[in-house]
Amino acid sequence: MSTDPTDESAQERRKRGLEKMSEVYGWEFSDGPGEHFAVTADHLFADIWSRPGLSVRDRRLLLIGALTAQGLFDVAEIQLGSALRNEELTADQLREIALFLCHYVGWPAGTTLDSVAGKVIGQQEKAERKKSRPADE
């Protein structure tokens, strides 16, 4: 399938956007209502996240930095969790990102990101322990 938006139908573009959203976040996305969702799926994910030149991991690293600089830790938490679940970044790498960003976006923001990373890492470890337990426990 072509990734040139001029060569595909609106339905194909939406499908491509939903597929990229699912890849980026690690869970299945279905179509949603409204113009905001349409722009998110059709433009942001079908066009921007799908462009050649940067991997999903590269884009996520940039996004984590931008979110941290803006103090948007609730959204950063989603990105950190997705990166960890998708095995794009390790727990140690998430911690290193937070320490690195302290020096560029300020110590309070980087420290907050480190706290968010700790929360996400703990949730992931708990989920992994739960999956590895025998069913009769």
Side-chain angles (χ1 to χ4, degrees):
M1 179 189 315
S2 170
T3 58
D4 181 353
T6 61
D7 291 345
E8 65 185 334
S9 71
Q11 185 177 10
E12 290 169 329
R13 187 174 184 209
R14 177 64 53 92
K15 181 178 184 278
R16 194 165 49 82
L18 293 172
E19 288 170 355
K20 183 56 78 171
M21 289 172 77
S22 295
E23 175 189 347
V24 168
Y25 290 106
W27 63 78
E28 197 64 32
F29 275 87
S30 57
D31 208 353
E35 187 65 20
H36 183 80
F37 186 86
V39 171
T40 300
D42 300 346
H43 176 66
L44 179 59
F45 285 94
D47 295 341
I48 303 305
W49 275 84
S50 298
R51 289 178 54 82
L54 295 174
S55 68
V56 168
R57 182 183 186 273
D58 294 338
R59 293 174 200 281
R60 192 177 318 275
L61 286 167
L62 292 166
L63 182 53
I64 290 168
L67 293 169
T68 303
Q70 296 176 74
L72 299 173
F73 300 106
D74 54 342
V75 182
E77 182 177 339
I78 295 167
Q79 296 300 322
L80 295 175
S82 295
L84 200 56
R85 276 190 312 278
N86 292 345
E87 298 180 346
E88 296 163 1
L89 297 166
T90 66
D92 288 343
Q93 288 171 324
L94 295 182
R95 295 288 196 176
E96 187 64 27
I97 290 165
L99 182 60
F100 179 79
L101 286 174
C102 281
H103 296 83
Y104 288 93
V105 300
W107 210 262
T111 301
T112 302
L113 183 67
D114 185 67
S115 177
V116 171
K119 176 183 172 184
V120 167
I121 292 164
Q123 290 169 339
Q124 182 70 21
E125 288 172 348
K126 183 178 178 181
E128 288 172 7
R129 282 193 306 273
K130 188 176 180 180
K131 281 194 306 190
S132 67
R133 277 192 214 134
D136 59 319
E137 280 189 24

